[in-house]
Amino acid sequence: MKIFYYSNTLREFLKNKDNNLGFVPTMGALHLGHIALVKEARAICGQVVVSIFVNPHQFNNASDLQQYPRTLVSDLKLLYDAGTDNVFIPSVTDIFSPDSVLSKIDLSPMDTRYEGLYRPGHFRGVVSVLHNMFDIVEPKHVFFGLKDLQQCLVIEKLINGYFPEIHQHNCAIIREHSGLAMSSRNSRLSAQGLNDATEIFRQLSQLKQSALNFTSERNSSIEKLKLKGIQTEYLDLVQLPTMDPIDQPVVGVRQALVFAGYLEGVRLIDNIAV
Ligand code: AMP
């Protein structure tokens, strides 16, 4: 496994790359959800690059950035064990030079709903880092997790607008046995918190069963989450790919239940296809 700390050395190395190159961008603090993306990439691509880069521009909250877990040694071990070819660990100034500007791509309506609404500037930061990373790595395939459903939709905009040659793969959510969606942020929860957080998937699964009565069931789910100490930020049934909220399932349309909330000061998101 090769490790690159500078974009110019990675670029140079990739000059002779496999033309079926796969790219898995991450912020580190890796878990089996990330590794599933690496495995999917390895199954399709001759060569895979995984980046570890905590992008300051996608944090709308300074303390969230500061508290973001950093576990480089165990990340490298997990990546090695998963058979990763190349790891890219650049500095912030390498990816965002002092004179670089954030992407101007039109993100509407995603930048004003759900994650876009509650995390102002977040998606602008996401598309900016990916734009710069895609320019460096020039991948043929990129792999993202449906855990960040809205992010997948935003990246589709970036790829359709600027990188039509890239094939985007949106991979299934990997969960703990308890149902809790794996997340780097879970490591900030106490043992009790990890237990209480399982209520999120339980409520999403129950709401999926009773989606025809979504509007009446929604409040009871929010109450049950509250009993576990979880403060709901949003819990909605949405139509895809627009993320327009709907009152009940519509036949023949892709839709999902989306959730964000706080437990023990940690922001957790999850979603389930309906
Ligand atoms: P992050 O390091 O949080 O930026 O995540 C890097 C990539 O891993 C993103 O595409 C995430 O959607 C994906 N990811 C994170 N958690 C999971 C999970 N539990 N299942 C599948 N993909 C995930």
Side-chain angles (χ1 to χ4, degrees), residues 25-27 31 33-34 37 68 144-145 147-148 172-174 182:
T26 82
M27 296 203 297
H31 49 67
H34 297 109
L37 305 186
Y68 200 80
F144 295 94
K147 159 85 172 23
D148 298 280
I173 302 176
I174 305 299
M182 290 191 184

Side-chain angles (χ1 to χ4, degrees), residues 153-219:
L153 300 169
V154 166
I155 294 164
E156 269 164 28
K157 278 179 179 283
L158 174 70
I159 288 184
N160 290 340
Y162 292 90
F163 301 94
E165 69 287 0
I166 297 182
H167 189 80
Q168 177 177 349
H169 302 257
N170 297 330
C171 306
I173 302 176
I174 305 299
R175 298 179 180 280
E176 305 285 356
H177 290 303
S178 64
L180 176 64
M182 290 191 184
S183 164
S184 306
R185 289 187 166 86
N186 292 351
S187 67
R188 291 176 49 204
L189 294 173
S190 68
Q192 180 65 47
L194 283 170
N195 204 29
D196 291 339
T198 61
E199 192 65 22
I200 297 169
F201 183 60
R202 196 167 303 120
Q203 288 308 318
L204 287 176
S205 304
Q206 280 177 17
L207 280 172
K208 177 176 171 151
Q209 299 309 318
S210 55
L212 277 174
N213 303 317
F214 175 70
T215 35
S216 55
E217 298 294 322
R218 180 176 177 272
N219 285 347

Side-chain angles (χ1 to χ4, degrees), residues 2-126:
K2 294 190 176 57
I3 301 177
F4 296 87
Y5 293 97
Y6 300 100
S7 58
N8 54 5
T9 43
L10 179 66
R11 252 189 234 272
E12 185 62 27
F13 172 77
L14 291 175
K15 269 188 186 161
N16 307 314
K17 68 174 182 276
D18 183 297
N19 65 5
N20 206 25
L21 184 69
F23 180 40
V24 182
T26 82
M27 296 203 297
L30 302 183
H31 49 67
L32 295 181
H34 297 109
I35 296 305
L37 305 186
V38 176
K39 289 191 172 152
E40 201 139 335
R42 287 198 69 222
I44 294 171
C45 305
Q47 221 182 339
V48 175
V49 175
V50 177
S51 63
I52 297 178
F53 180 69
V54 182
N55 171 23
H57 292 288
Q58 70 187 71
F59 286 81
N60 52 308
N61 175 325
S63 89
D64 191 25
L65 170 61
Q66 197 219 330
Q67 292 181 62
Y68 200 80
R70 287 155 171 94
T71 58
L72 188 57
V73 174
S74 70
D75 291 352
L76 291 176
K77 173 145 188 6
L78 278 174
L79 291 176
Y80 179 81
D81 291 346
T84 308
D85 307 287
N86 305 297
V87 187
F88 180 36
I89 315 176
S91 65
V92 174
T93 47
D94 193 347
I95 299 301
F96 295 104
S97 62
D99 55 347
S100 73
V101 287
L102 295 186
S103 166
K104 300 242 178 327
I105 185 172
D106 177 14
L107 295 173
S108 64
M110 293 301 161
D111 52 349
T112 52
R113 354 191 119 156
Y114 301 105
E115 292 304 285
L117 178 68
Y118 286 98
R119 304 187 67 191
H122 169 65
F123 287 134
R124 181 82 39 213
V126 169

